Every structure is written in C-alpha cells, then in structure tokens.
Amino acid sequence: MHPRLTLAISIMEAFAIFAYAISGLIEARKRRLDVVGAFLVALATAFGGGTMRDVLLSRRPFYWVQHQDYVIVIFIMAIFAPFLLRTTTRLFDQRALLIADAVGLGLFSISGTSIALDAQMPAFVAAMMGVVTGVFGGIMRDVLCNEVPLILRDSRPYAVCAFAGCWLYLGLDWLGLEGVYNVLASTGFILIARLVTLKLDVRLPH
Amino acid sequence: MHPRLTLAISIMEAFAIFAYAISGLIEARKRRLDVVGAFLVALATAFGGGTMRDVLLSRRPFYWVQHQDYVIVIFIMAIFAPFLLRTTTRLFDQRALLIADAVGLGLFSISGTSIALDAQMPAFVAAMMGVVTGVFGGIMRDVLCNEVPLILRDSRPYAVCAFAGCWLYLGLDWLGLEGVYNVLASTGFILIARLVTLKLDVRLPH
Amino acid sequence: MHPRLTLAISIMEAFAIFAYAISGLIEARKRRLDVVGAFLVALATAFGGGTMRDVLLSRRPFYWVQHQDYVIVIFIMAIFAPFLLRTTTRLFDQRALLIADAVGLGLFSISGTSIALDAQMPAFVAAMMGVVTGVFGGIMRDVLCNEVPLILRDSRPYAVCAFAGCWLYLGLDWLGLEGVYNVLASTGFILIARLVTLKLDVRLPH
C-alpha cells in the first residue's frame, strides 16, 4: 500500500511519538495537570500532527486507530510521569523539551511529506503537509495549556528546519534516492539543523 | 440506518445538548461576551464534541445540519441568557456548571460510543470516540474563552468517568443487552460516577 | 464546476485573503512573533475559515492547495511585514485591523455561502457555512495568539453582519438575481453594515 513506509520508518515513528508524548507530559507537569489531563495533552501532542494531516488529506484510518498499543503505552507513561519527572526535574527542563521536540520534528515532518507524496499530492502541498505533521501536535499542546504556541513564540528556527528538510526529501526523491535512505538523510538533516541553530543561537528576524 | 439510535436516545441527546449549551452560556457570561459571542460559545460547546467525532469518523451529515431546530433554540437561549442568568446568578455558579456538564457527559459519551460501534469501529476506538464526543465541546468552550480546559485543570475524575462508562457500554453490548437499556445503564453509570466522585471529592494524582 | 464562482469572485477572494493575512500579520507583530510565526498566523487567518468550511463540507482540494501562489505571496508579505508595519505603526493600529477584517468578512462569508449552495446544502446550513468561512480564520488567529477571539470579546456586531448578508444573498438568489451581481450586493451589504455599525458604535447587549 505505502511502499515508502517500511519497517525502518515505523520504528522511527515510534521514537518520534514517544518524544512528542514526553514533551506533552513535561508541559502538563508545568501546568500541574492530573494524570488524565497529562495523558490527553500527551495524546494530542503525539498524534495531533498526524491526525490533522490525515483529516486534511481525507486519509483513514488514523495512525492511533491502527496502533492502539501506542495509546496504551502513552497512558502508562502518563500514570508514571509524576514519579518519572519528579525525580528527574532537573533533567527535564526547557532544554529537554526542546531536544525531544527536535527528534520528533524531523521524523514526523519527513513521514508526513512521504505520506502526502504517496497520496499523489504536488510537491508544495507535500512539503506543507510535512510541516503540519511536524508542528501541529506541539501547537495543540500549547493551545490546550493556554500558551502562545512555542513555535510562534520562539524565534529560533523550527518550522523553517522542517520545511527545508521536507524540500530536501522531495529533491532526493526526485533524484531517485531510495525511500529509507532518503528518510534517514532528510530526518537527520532536520535534527542537525535544529540542534545546530539552537547551539549557535541563530534567531529569525522579528 | 442506526438501529442503536432510537427515540429514547434522541430525547436524551436533546437534554445533553441543552445542558452543554447552558454550560457554554454560563462561561460566556463570566467572560462578559455579548449575545452573539455567547451563542457561538454555546454552539461550540453543544456540538463541538459530536462534530469532532463525525469529522474523525468521516460521517455526514452533522447532527446540527440534520437538527437545525436545535441551533435556533440555542440562539433563542443565548438572547434570553442575560435575563435568565442575571436573575439566577447565585444558582448558576461553578457548581451548576459542573452538574450540567455531568448530565451532558454521560449522554454524549455513550451516544458517541454507540455511533462509532455502528460505524464498525473496534471497541477501543469506539470508547475513545465516546470520550471525544463527551469532552471536546467543553474543551472548545474553554479554548475559545482563553482558559486551560476545565477537564485538564480539574483533578476530579471527568474523562475517566466517561471512559469507564463507555467500556461498561461496550461490555453490556458484548453481553447482548439491548440498545436502549444499555444506553440508560451506561449513561446513568457515568452520571452517578461523576456526581459521587464530586461529592466525595475524589481527586486524581498530580 | 462552480457556476457561481466566476472571475469577479476570484479577484475579490484574492483581496479578502490579503486583507485577512494582513490582520494576521498585525496581530503577530503585537505578539512580537518572528517571521515564520507571523507567516503561520497569517496563513491560518487567511485560509482557516475556508479550510474549516471545506473540512465540514468534505470538499477537496482546499483553496490553498489549488492556489499555491497565494501561500508564496503571503510568505513574502511575512518576510517584509516587519519593515512594512514598522514604518507604518501609526496606520496599522486596532482601527486598521478592524477595517481589514470588515473587507475580508463580507467577501469570505458570501463566497462560503455560495460554495455551500453549490454543494446542495439547505439554506440554513449555507448561511452557517458563510459565517464559518468569514469568522473562523480570525478565531484561529486569536486562539494561536492566546487571546479570547475578537469576535467573542467585541460587542460590536460582526458575525451578525455576516449572517444577515448571507441571508440577503440567499434571498436574492431565490429571487433569481444572477451570481456576480448578487455577490457584489451581498458583500457590499456586509461591508457597509459592519462599517456603519462601527461608526455609530452600535453594540450588542451583554
């Protein structure tokens, strides 16, 4: 059905989902939400981007409908989050949130672009769908927690990294690079671009 | 078409819609919104959950498209809300908001689960759709009023009651209990679970 | 395909899109968002209403998928927005935001009603879809910027003007007035109704 979505991508998407879920749990912790509130925010963060993409592409079933086990694992994570995060408060600060976000950003954006291409979307729409998949979960997390979304607030490049990586994927795909290698290269590009611009404190103009 | 949705459920859904619309009007009142703002918040609260469920299930037409009379009644409620709520300020406080919510929560969650089952969804997805139907209207109400959604803020069990009731419905359905009795039993369970946990001040861990 | 959507309407929709995009850029400026944040808020403001309408009507492709050039122009506007808006701070105040909104409101609402009619929706739903198309972009803009949506906060008639204009369009359509003249008349009605009620400081009751 989806030749681009091989096992390697599935494994990487699992990592991305947990990275986003954790960023949701950290945000929920800051807002002092209870275990169910934290679970719902983690769920929205992890699956919001992909679900939005699938609604826009009229694509069914949703990822979380096909992979119910992820929902259950996130529920368990939410139950143990207080204990996990309480003992590691120093580790899971603003910085950890940014790194977990960067990991998810690359994987989600590229898988979103790949899925949009498989749905016969033109290149530009595929790149936009990649960015939507990458950033919409975080926007939902912040809207639910009543904050201006981090992606809008923070002038360090975020959506730009995702957008550039999606075009890299499209370019390498056009050049005929095989699916999995292309996903690895483009995802790595986004991850490195994000972490390097963070390290160098590159900022977009206001 | 929908054998599970008999007259009894339709009547109950009408009660649920008005309960949610009123909770929207109360929230709009607190924010000092005008009559149109109150109407839109009441509309989002009453139909937000069902519309979200139908978008996720690719189900059309929406409930409010088929039942335009409800939209008109809510509009009339919004016009008279200032007079209604002004004279009864003491009655319609935080407590009334919680009780109106509890009535709607049970009815919406079970009807959502029932509709998802009719759409051939697996049990787990049906339970999730029930919770979405039950809680998403309130989330929209609070996001529109620029608050962290009550469901996330409040550590008293809310989504948990809905989720347990949806599984009770699924269990009784699996045991072969007929539609209407099952709806009544499961809805009653959610209502009682919500009110009892409120009364006993049960709180979920942070 | 859509006999009601002639060239004249397309040109007017372009104006509406830029009017809404600018209102998004002004809001983004107030929040001190960077260029990408401003672009995303402008995009959500300009295309949020039409995209919501199309999701509700199960209509594809989206306007911004068919008209990628608009997305690119908005991106260029976002890049130059700091320079544009910085030099004209005095011009682009709250008042400019309200006028840009009024222009877009009329054009979007009527085009939304027209599209819903073409999709064989009943009159009431067509009027609601017009209002959704007109106001949802602004709601998304304000939710993203973490404010109670202007449409809910502000007691000056806004959605009411759009709703009345949509019914005027439906009435004139029923009387047999030809597409483009009807669009011009109804859009003009909304624009004038909005500006006149603003000038006279008409306010809806709380």
Side-chain angles (χ1 to χ4, degrees), chain A residues 20 101-114 123-136 151 156-171 182-183 185-195 197 204, chain C residues 36 39-40:
Chain A
Y20 269 41
D101 251 43
V103 175
L105 179 68
L107 296 162
F108 273 126
S109 301
I110 299 305
S111 78
T113 301
S114 165
F124 182 78
V125 175
M128 293 288 287
M129 288 298 169
V131 176
V132 164
T133 311
V135 308
F136 199 75
I151 182 184
R156 286 170 293 188
Y158 187 80
V160 167
C161 297
F163 196 63
C166 291
W167 280 105
L168 177 66
Y169 178 86
L170 291 168
N182 193 352
V183 169
S186 310
T187 301
F189 172 83
I190 295 176
L191 180 61
I192 291 167
R194 173 69 173 151
L195 294 180
T197 53
L204 294 172
Chain C
V36 170
F39 169 58
L40 293 176

Side-chain angles (χ1 to χ4, degrees), chain B residues 20-21 23-24 40-49 101 108 136-138 140-141:
Chain B
Y20 269 41
S23 93
L40 292 176
V41 171
L43 217 55
T45 312
F47 297 116
D101 250 43
F108 273 126
F136 199 76
M140 282 186 73
R141 175 195 66 209

